[in-house]
Amino acid sequence: NLEVTVAMVDEMTASKGAPKKNMVHRIESIALQSMRESILTSGFDQTLTTMKKSTDTRLWRLIAETALESLEFKVAQMAFAKLEDYRGISFIKQISSLGDKM
C-alpha cells in the first residue's frame, strides 16, 4: 500500500476518552514520496513515461488524485483506467461534460 498507519498506543491508553486525530499518523514510503516529488518537479508527462510499466495501484491513485487537483482530466482518466476504477472514470466524464455546457 506504500503507506503505514501508526497509532500512538501509549498516548491513547494514557488519555481519557476517545482517541484524538493527532494520535494516528500516516507515513508515506520513499517510493510514494519520490513519485509525489516527481509529479511536482517533472510534470505528468515525465512521470507517466516512468510509470507505464508499474502495476502499483497506490502510485496510480496518487497520479489520478494529483491530476484531478491540477485539472488534468485526460491524465486522471488514464490513471483511473489503469486502476480499473469505473467511478473515477465516470466522475471525469461528468466533469468534462460540465465544461462543454458552460
Side-chain angles (χ1 to χ4, degrees), residues 1-8 12 20-30 32-33 36 58 61 65:
N1 195 357
L2 300 180
E3 276 184 332
V4 176
T5 303
V6 178
M8 309 304 275
M12 287 179 175
K20 297 177 182 154
K21 287 185 178 182
N22 66 349
M23 295 179 184
V24 178
H25 303 280
R26 289 192 174 193
I27 302 170
E28 293 183 342
S29 70
I30 293 172
L32 194 56
Q33 290 173 4
R36 186 180 305 280
R58 183 59 185 105
R61 175 96 24 221
E65 291 169 358

Side-chain angles (χ1 to χ4, degrees), residues 58-76:
R58 183 59 185 105
L59 295 176
W60 280 106
R61 175 96 24 221
L62 174 66
I63 290 173
E65 291 169 358
T66 307
L68 274 177
E69 290 171 3
S70 303
L71 304 177
E72 294 285 343
F73 299 128
K74 288 183 181 184
V75 174

